[in-house]
């Protein structure tokens, strides 16, 4: 009887390990590796800080060692300060292959004193000004990704909620695992005022900093994990509060905050871009 009970406990423990919990602020060496940049990306301070640098020769980037299929992911980021026009700091989830999915934050640099633009993308784009200076201190940027929603949040305030409307013919990222990536690169052909403002290389090198990565997520190791990571899986909910993100959605207070951000700080919404969609807006624009 003792052996059977111990074995059941072991199985439950192993099942729980499949759900990655980095909420205690694990060493960044354990979660990421520098993917490119010839030494311009660095993990510092015994794994507590990661920096990406851009100069005229190259930018840099990192990626997660784990893949995820749904989760709640936070990263604190301090963006490039000063005259950062032409630079883009990207923080995003992406799968591999020709039909890959992406869930993106892209931070578009600016002439010193102008506000940063945050570009969000899940198949289609919305852009926002931030209501603070993101270069003075670290701020938390979050993805909540589950079978029903992709929610973007800044310091806990939701700025976008992309809902699963597959039943209405709208695509939704739910079948492909994704890694977490970040990069700092030169995009002065389009990033600042549509490419009108070029990168001022006298201000280089440009640096963005990252810390306090947290991920409560379903770790992916094989195609059989699809059922384990689905909303109906009993193991997906077996670790209690760690898996609340699997069914999370905005409550009434969060929805009011979302509308406040969209009303005051949204600068581009594909659902209002009649020039881009002259034959009619995408169906989710009337369904969200």
């Amino acid at each position: 009887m003792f052996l059977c009970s111990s074995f059941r406990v072991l199985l439950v423990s192993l099942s729980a390990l499949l759900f990655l919990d980095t909420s205690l602020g694990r060493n960044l060496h354990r979660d990421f590796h520098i993917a490119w940049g010839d030494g311009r990306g660095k993990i510092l301070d015994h794994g507590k800080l990661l920096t990406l640098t851009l100069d005229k020769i190259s930018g840099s980037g990192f990626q997660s060692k784990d893949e995820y299929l749904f989760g709640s992911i936070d990263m604190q980021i301090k963006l490039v300060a000063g005259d950062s026009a032409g630079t883009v700091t990207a923080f995003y989830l992406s799968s591999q292959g020709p039909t890959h999915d992406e869930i993106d934050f892209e931070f578009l640099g600016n002439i010193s004193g102008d506000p940063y633009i945050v570009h969000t993308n899940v198949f289609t784009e919305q852009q926002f000004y931030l209501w603070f200076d993101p270069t003075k201190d670290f701020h938390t940027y979050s993805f909540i990704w589950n079978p029903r929603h992709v929610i973007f949040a800044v310091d806990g305030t939701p700025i976008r909620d992309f809902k699963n409307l597959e039943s209405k013919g709208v695509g939704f990222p739910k079948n492909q695992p994704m890694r977490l990536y970040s990069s700092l690169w030169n995009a002065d052909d389009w990033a600042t005022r549509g490419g009108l403002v070029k990168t001022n290389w006298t201000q280089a090198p440009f640096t963005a900093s990252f810390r306090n990565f947290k991920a409560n997520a379903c770790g992916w190791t094989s195609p059989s994990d699809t059922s384990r990571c689905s909303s109906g899986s009993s193991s997906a909910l077996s670790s209690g509060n760690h898996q609340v993100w699997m069914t999370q959605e905005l409550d009434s207070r969060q929805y009011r905050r979302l509308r406040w951000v969209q009303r005051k700080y949204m600068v581009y919404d594909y659902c209002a871009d009649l020039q881009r969609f002259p034959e009619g807006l995408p169906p989710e624009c009337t369904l969200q």
Side-chain angles (χ1 to χ4, degrees):
M1 179 67 70
F2 175 76
L3 288 175
C4 290
S5 297
S6 299
F7 185 64
R8 284 196 296 270
V9 170
L10 177 61
L11 285 178
V12 171
S13 299
L14 289 175
S15 176
L17 284 175
L18 294 173
F19 291 89
L20 306 175
D21 180 3
T22 65
S23 59
L24 297 180
R26 283 165 43 175
N27 188 311
L28 292 172
H29 281 292
R30 294 181 60 185
D31 295 301
F32 301 101
H33 69 262
I34 304 301
W36 60 282
D38 294 327
R40 291 172 179 81
K42 301 180 186 297
I43 300 177
L44 306 168
D45 194 16
H46 306 289
K48 295 179 182 178
L49 180 70
L50 192 156
T51 61
L52 296 180
T53 298
L54 165 69
D55 59 30
K56 199 168 185 178
I57 297 173
S58 177
S60 51
F62 65 84
Q63 70 181 57
S64 65
K65 295 179 180 179
D66 292 315
E67 288 184 289
Y68 313 106
L69 185 62
F70 308 129
S72 175
I73 295 174
D74 302 336
M75 182 72 87
Q76 289 190 336
I77 306 173
K78 182 161 66 173
L79 296 174
V80 176
D83 184 352
S84 57
T87 72
V88 172
T89 304
F91 177 61
Y92 62 103
L93 289 159
S94 180
S95 61
Q96 300 298 311
T99 58
H100 76 286
D101 293 327
E102 281 195 20
I103 301 172
D104 301 348
F105 276 114
E106 290 184 302
F107 304 94
L108 312 186
N110 61 82
I111 300 173
S112 184
D114 288 350
Y116 257 82
I117 288 178
V118 180
H119 178 101
T120 66
N121 187 26
V122 190
F123 304 125
T124 47
E125 305 84 14
Q126 289 181 344
Q127 295 181 344
F128 306 85
Y129 286 133
L130 290 171
W131 50 95
F132 52 84
D133 185 342
T135 72
K136 297 296 186 183
D137 202 352
F138 287 89
H139 292 267
T140 302
Y141 302 91
S142 308
F143 302 110
I144 298 168
W145 172 36
N146 62 41
R148 296 178 58 194
H149 298 266
V150 175
I151 298 169
F152 296 80
V154 178
D155 289 337
T157 295
I159 65 172
R160 183 176 184 184
D161 181 6
F162 187 86
K163 299 175 183 177
N164 185 340
L165 297 171
E166 286 184 304
S167 62
K168 307 297 184 180
V170 181
F172 188 85
K174 68 178 183 62
N175 296 315
Q176 300 184 76
M178 302 199 222
R179 292 188 192 276
L180 185 65
Y181 298 85
S182 185
S183 58
L184 174 57
W185 51 291
N186 178 40
D188 68 1
D189 57 335
W190 67 270
T192 306
R193 295 182 58 202
L196 295 177
V197 182
K198 302 301 181 182
T199 303
N200 181 359
W201 293 111
T202 66
Q203 301 298 305
F206 305 99
T207 300
S209 302
F210 305 77
R211 71 180 188 189
N212 289 347
F213 168 67
K214 297 179 183 179
N216 292 321
C218 189
W220 172 279
T221 57
S222 72
S224 63
D225 290 340
T226 300
S227 60
R228 178 176 60 78
C229 292
S230 70
S231 60
S233 170
S234 60
S235 62
L237 302 175
S238 63
S239 297
N241 290 335
H242 290 317
Q243 271 67 62
V244 296
W245 43 263
M246 188 62 87
T247 56
Q248 188 169 347
E249 58 186 17
L250 300 183
D251 60 25
S252 58
R253 181 188 63 82
Q254 292 168 325
Y255 188 77
R256 287 194 298 271
R257 291 289 289 174
L258 172 74
R259 288 305 184 201
W260 172 78
V261 171
Q262 293 184 338
R263 189 170 58 251
K264 290 182 65 70
Y265 297 103
M266 181 181 284
V267 294
Y268 175 79
D269 181 7
Y270 73 100
C271 282
D273 194 342
L274 297 176
Q275 184 174 0
R276 179 177 174 182
F277 301 105
E279 297 183 3
L281 295 172
E284 70 268 22
C285 293
T286 58
L287 296 171
Q288 289 280 8

